[in-house]
Amino acid sequence: MKIVVQESGEKPIKIVLPTGMIFNPVTAVIASSLINKTLAGKLSDEDIEKAEELAESAEEHPAENCGIRTRDIVRFCHEINRMKRIHGNLPLVEVEDDGGDCVNIWL
């Protein structure tokens, strides 16, 4: 993954991170636990009731774990790595403002 921040008239800031280091099962476990802990602390009783109603209609039980399952994030990481192998430098984000500053993120 490559992140480039270019300010008008300035030297660009380039950050190169190995995709395998970011998108792997270990970081998936850490991310899902952080997301679930954050959601557990911020969900109101109304949100939990809505989740239970949706769970009953979809025949799932997300009310027990109102966040993201680790296996879903692991699956997402595998797909990101697969896309990297297939497409190489795939642009994920390209943002430019009126002043000429831009941020690009490539896979």
Side-chain angles (χ1 to χ4, degrees), residues 73-92:
I73 294 182
V74 169
R75 186 181 313 146
F76 173 75
C77 291
H78 285 298
E79 285 300 313
I80 291 289
N81 288 324
R82 187 178 71 85
M83 295 300 287
K84 172 75 173 170
R85 282 192 304 275
I86 293 172
H87 299 289
N89 286 333
L90 183 69
L92 297 177

Side-chain angles (χ1 to χ4, degrees), residues 4-51:
V4 178
V5 179
Q6 175 69 47
E7 293 186 41
S8 58
E10 297 289 326
K11 188 175 180 180
I13 299 171
K14 298 179 182 178
I15 302 170
V16 179
L17 301 169
T19 306
M21 184 177 82
I22 298 169
F23 298 108
N24 63 51
V26 174
T27 56
V29 169
I30 294 169
S32 67
S33 68
L34 289 174
I35 291 169
N36 291 332
K37 285 180 184 178
T38 302
L39 286 176
K42 293 186 178 179
L43 286 178
S44 66
D45 291 335
E46 289 180 15
D47 293 333
I48 293 172
E49 288 175 12
K50 287 178 185 177

